[in-house]
Amino acid sequence: MSGVDELFDNNRAWALSVKTSDPEFFEKLANQQSPEYLWIGCSDSRVPANQIVGLLPGEVFVHRNVANMVVHTDFNCLTVLQYAVDVLQVKHVLVVGHYNCGGVRAAYENRDNGLIDNWLRNIKDVQQRHRRRIAALETDDARVDLLCELNVVSQVSNVCHTTIVQNAWRRGQPLAVHGWIYSLKDGLITDLECTVNGPEQISEVYRMMPDQDLE
């Protein structure tokens, strides 16, 4: 049996297990998705969104890319964000990085990695802004892990600066943006305590004018 064929067997066993515990699960799931959470995470295969926080299919909307970035020219990410906020009306956006992230490390080590270096420039911007704080640490591993944290905080800001999120706040829609980081060593998430609940928590430079008419 090939590795791909085995996945079909795994799928059937999983579906049977779910139906056994909740016979109506798939019927309910097919009719509607109403997650409260949008997860913006890293593509790393060791960081599965649902399992980490114990959520079932249908309970978290997910976008993943290398190093959990939110780039204002990435229409894939922005489309996911808009659908989650405007249509699904999620209440929480979770930007979740992880320690020893390969993308962050590649940016830190300043090697020639080919095409991906254009994407990693966004992480280098974070590194440049915090270069003294990062350089003050004694080991490269510690510096990379700090850069992983700082990158999450930066991406939380990027989410909050989008017109998508700011329009939601102006409509009075309850929406919080959180920054978390996951440890591959013990499976635990740490809150980086950079949650933003409204425009008053971001710089005036990025705020949309309150008197603009949305109607």
Side-chain angles (χ1 to χ4, degrees):
M1 180 183 296
S2 72
V4 173
D5 290 336
E6 185 178 357
L7 297 183
F8 284 97
D9 288 341
N10 292 346
N11 168 252
R12 290 177 177 85
W14 170 76
L16 179 60
S17 173
V18 172
K19 286 181 181 179
T20 301
S21 60
D22 185 354
E24 298 180 354
F25 178 81
F26 289 111
E27 181 180 351
K28 291 183 291 186
L29 195 65
N31 289 332
Q32 179 183 3
Q33 67 165 335
S34 54
E36 291 192 6
Y37 310 97
L38 167 62
W39 175 290
I40 300 176
C42 183
S43 298
D44 194 301
S45 61
R46 300 167 295 178
V47 192
N50 290 67
Q51 290 91 325
I52 287 174
V53 288
L55 294 178
L56 295 171
E59 294 183 326
V60 58
F61 200 58
V62 178
H63 175 78
R64 296 171 71 176
N65 60 49
V66 174
N68 43 272
M69 304 293 295
V70 179
V71 181
H72 295 297
T73 53
D74 180 3
F75 290 101
N76 182 9
C77 180
L78 294 180
T79 300
V80 171
L81 179 62
Q82 183 171 29
Y83 187 80
V85 172
D86 292 352
V87 179
L88 299 177
Q89 298 206 339
V90 298
K91 294 181 174 62
H92 303 274
V93 177
L94 314 173
V95 181
V96 186
H98 66 96
Y99 290 118
N100 197 25
C101 176
V104 174
R105 184 173 289 276
Y108 172 81
E109 291 179 346
N110 206 29
R111 297 178 181 174
D112 183 356
N113 300 288
L115 177 65
I116 194 174
D117 286 331
N118 297 281
W119 181 256
L120 299 180
R121 286 288 183 270
N122 298 287
I123 301 173
K124 287 183 177 294
D125 291 341
V126 178
Q127 182 180 357
Q128 173 65 15
R129 287 198 298 271
H130 300 278
R131 61 190 182 280
R132 293 182 180 176
R133 183 179 171 188
I134 293 170
L137 299 179
E138 295 183 356
T139 67
D140 282 341
D141 286 346
R143 294 175 190 134
V144 169
D145 281 348
L146 175 58
L147 184 53
C148 290
E149 294 179 352
L150 295 171
N151 182 51
V152 169
V153 174
S154 179
Q155 304 319 310
V156 167
S157 294
N158 286 347
V159 171
C160 296
H161 297 164
T162 64
T163 57
I164 299 163
V165 168
Q166 295 205 35
N167 280 335
W169 283 333
R170 290 171 62 203
R171 292 192 298 266
Q173 185 174 332
L175 182 64
V177 185
H178 311 267
W180 297 352
I181 194 156
Y182 175 73
S183 173
L184 297 168
K185 294 180 179 179
D186 58 18
L188 298 179
I189 290 173
T190 299
D191 187 348
L192 294 177
E193 299 182 357
C194 56
T195 296
V196 181
N197 295 287
E200 67 280 354
Q201 293 176 259
I202 65 176
S203 170
E204 292 182 2
V205 172
Y206 297 102
R207 294 182 203 168
M208 295 174 62
M209 295 297 291
D211 57 348
Q212 288 179 316
D213 189 2
L214 288 178
E215 297 298 328

